[in-house]
Amino acid sequence: MDLLLSHGYFLQEDSHEQAVMKPYPPLGLLYISSYLKSRGFQVQVFDSTFSSREHFRRFVQENHPPVVGLYCNMMTRSSVLDLIAVCKQT
């Protein structure tokens, strides 16, 4: 793996979205992944929507991605900062 792409949204931490249950795939990350793969990079996408921070931590520890790209917006800022700390520890 050359690159890991992920985002900081965890459905289990969003009670409003749990009630609505209309999550969407991380299309931006998937587009970037597709483009990079077409250029020969080995890219993995970790969709955290139905996952947990602990699962992300284990994934990073087991796979040791050399580069991690994290999508962030105002709603996921604090979560992404936590994920950055996880990546720096490994």
Side-chain angles (χ1 to χ4, degrees):
M1 169 185 355
D2 297 318
L3 173 68
L4 172 65
L5 297 174
S6 190
H7 56 94
Y9 180 74
F10 296 91
L11 181 64
Q12 69 181 11
E13 298 175 5
D14 187 345
S15 59
H16 174 71
E17 186 60 38
Q18 286 177 18
V20 176
M21 277 311 287
K22 293 192 181 207
Y24 49 89
L27 292 178
L29 293 178
L30 296 173
Y31 288 142
I32 292 169
S33 173
S34 176
Y35 174 80
L36 292 172
K37 285 178 180 179
S38 75
R39 299 295 188 251
F41 290 94
Q42 293 181 341
V43 181
Q44 179 109 17
V45 175
F46 183 93
D47 183 0
S48 60
T49 303
F50 297 103
S51 192
S52 67
R53 293 174 195 248
E54 177 59 24
H55 187 210
F56 178 82
R57 184 189 63 75
R58 283 194 315 263
F59 184 87
V60 169
Q61 285 179 337
E62 292 170 5
N63 294 282
H64 304 286
V67 177
V68 178
L70 296 169
Y71 168 77
C72 183
N73 59 30
M74 291 302 289
M75 186 177 88
T76 62
R77 180 181 180 271
S78 64
S79 179
V80 167
L81 291 173
D82 291 343
L83 300 181
I84 290 170
V86 165
C87 293
K88 286 183 173 184
Q89 290 172 357
T90 58

